[in-house]
Amino acid sequence: MGENQLSNSQLYIGIDGGGSKCRATIYTQDHKQIGTGVSGRANPLHGLEQTFQSITESTQLALADAGLPPEACSQLVAGLGLAGVNVGHFYDQISNWQHPFKSMYLTTDLHTACIGAHNGADGAVIITGTGSCGYAHVGHQSISLGGHGFALGDKGSGAWLGLKAAEHALLALDGFACETALTDKLLAYFEVDDAIGIVENLAGKSSSVYAKLARIVLATAHEGDEVAIAIVKEGAAYISELARRLFTINPSRFSMIGGLAEPLLTWLDDDVAIKVSPSLSPPEFGACLFAQQQYSAESVA
Amino acid sequence: MGENQLSNSQLYIGIDGGGSKCRATIYTQDHKQIGTGVSGRANPLHGLEQTFQSITESTQLALADAGLPPEACSQLVAGLGLAGVNVGHFYDQISNWQHPFKSMYLTTDLHTACIGAHNGADGAVIITGTGSCGYAHVGHQSISLGGHGFALGDKGSGAWLGLKAAEHALLALDGFACETALTDKLLAYFEVDDAIGIVENLAGKSSSVYAKLARIVLATAHEGDEVAIAIVKEGAAYISELARRLFTINPSRFSMIGGLAEPLLTWLDDDVAIKVSPSLSPPEFGACLFAQQQYSAESVA
């Protein structure tokens, strides 16, 4: 085992960066959590500088939380699971970052989430938060589906639910579709009384702003609103189909993670819902395990 | 008539600013066109600074085209028809601009397009270019519909056609929908061979990038591709309904303008298509007529 050749005092930092926030947690060699920090979004699709800033900020917050000085950063071995780095040029740009760590290992947020959810074992995950995507890893096989970003993809995600609801409300307020309770709830949420008021609150805004509407859509669907039900059902049908596609490589475990995982569960098809197992550890722990594995492999080599 | 009290040598500049470009044309008091200039997009939804820069740049290009020095700008009476200024705070921010003109009169691009299309007479217009919207003005009544911006609204627009096509291609490439000729044409257009390649070319891009795909969608629909036909039909059905809503205040003329007006015509419902009259003058001339009317009214007052 390569670990014997490493210092027992080596610290790791697992970083999970997405469209809403960036969470960094520092772990000891034997997986004791000693400090954590949360900063703003870290998705290169929304800007490289902001991504680097969020990573640096969450790291410094984690160091402070662990009672370590800022300069201890250069002693950390970092694992980074980032949204958007399935896109080649973003992967390259972040890999080439003059990072502040001892070593940095980069992969997708899907990969580290999957490692975390199954504590390092093979498996499948679907993430439904601000965005949506699926990932499965079995032996040397892996599948990555969806995650194409707002507003191009991410069907069934919080931002998608919010966008569909806002689209429908605007059509309804212009007289092209039926106004239902969903329209009234969006107007009330923004404290406005017309289509322009909704546009003022959403035009040019990021996916996380749209994702905040998801809870309203889900709650209104539970109250029986036809438009909300149709939106949620369309999103959930896609998530169910996404799961079935991941099951084709026979993952031993399957977890749903992200802010919408629990509220969407009741809307999934039964054959999918029955297979959901709890996520064992958070994505930032998956990022730590990934970093340990990569660092250990390099140290042996 | 107030015009008698104005100098016969007063020059006007009509400016039409939208999501793709900004066009400025200088006119004499008696409507002779003496210079024109085109710059980048001028939509406050995409940034105020860029909007001001595009207005200034197109103005300077028009002055140069007219053989006038840059400082002649301060002698021009400007009419501005801008996308996005139906949103209150954008209207205020642009009105408060320390503009370089003698006087500046601001209204929506819809209003100036309508004035231009009917040479100052009452009427209705639908603009389908990068975005989509409808406007009608009859006496003291006016209706403004749609134009809520990409990706929230603008159904049937170029950007909307492009977004729907890209969404479908990504679902198809992920195996969630049928791959048709449309998918192949988008891959060929971007010179890529998978979903990630499409995402790399579209993620975070502006509506004008999506709008460039509209011609592909329309051409593929004409070749009989089922997916392209369904997208174009959904967009055209919305535009037909938009026209019928404008007809409720009985406008004497109706024009379709923008880059998609002509290619969409064959997809509109017959009762709408039969009512389309040619646009008489461009939006920047409408902006000039608007400025003349406002300036003349102020001079009289």
Side-chain angles (χ1 to χ4, degrees), chain B residues 92-147:
Chain B
D92 295 340
Q93 284 166 320
I94 289 173
S95 292
N96 292 331
W97 181 34
Q98 297 292 350
H99 65 79
F101 306 108
K102 182 176 177 183
S103 309
M104 183 183 87
Y105 302 98
L106 175 65
T107 188
T108 64
D109 57 341
L110 277 170
H111 187 196
T112 52
C114 194
I115 296 172
H118 311 303
N119 264 351
D122 284 348
V125 286
I126 287 179
I127 306 184
T128 50
T130 302
S132 73
C133 48
Y135 182 86
H137 191 95
V138 176
H140 292 291
Q141 262 191 302
S142 72
I143 310 179
S144 180
L145 287 169

Side-chain angles (χ1 to χ4, degrees), chain B residues 129-259:
Chain B
T130 302
S132 73
C133 48
Y135 182 86
H137 191 95
V138 176
H140 292 291
Q141 262 191 302
S142 72
I143 310 179
S144 180
L145 287 169
H148 301 312
F150 179 77
L152 204 47
D154 286 10
K155 211 166 168 178
S157 70
W160 183 89
L161 291 173
L163 175 65
K164 292 296 135 188
E167 273 181 9
H168 188 276
L170 292 178
L171 287 173
L173 291 165
D174 272 0
F176 294 101
C178 285
E179 273 191 55
T180 69
L182 183 62
T183 306
D184 298 335
K185 293 206 176 183
L186 291 187
L187 290 171
Y189 173 77
F190 289 122
E191 298 177 0
V192 297
D193 54 17
D194 58 11
I196 298 295
I198 292 180
V199 173
E200 282 195 298
N201 280 285
L202 288 176
K205 293 292 162 61
S206 70
S207 53
S208 54
V209 173
Y210 284 88
K212 285 187 184 138
L213 306 177
R215 295 274 163 183
I216 300 173
V217 185
L218 286 158
T220 314
H222 274 292
E223 290 164 14
D225 184 86
E226 277 178 36
V227 172
I229 288 174
I231 292 170
V232 174
K233 279 193 171 171
E234 186 186 345
Y238 170 79
I239 300 296
S240 291
E241 191 55 31
L242 184 55
R244 284 185 204 105
R245 294 287 309 286
L246 299 177
F247 297 163
T248 57
I249 61 167
N250 299 312
S252 54
R253 282 187 102 246
F254 167 57
S255 297
M256 299 267 302
I257 53 187

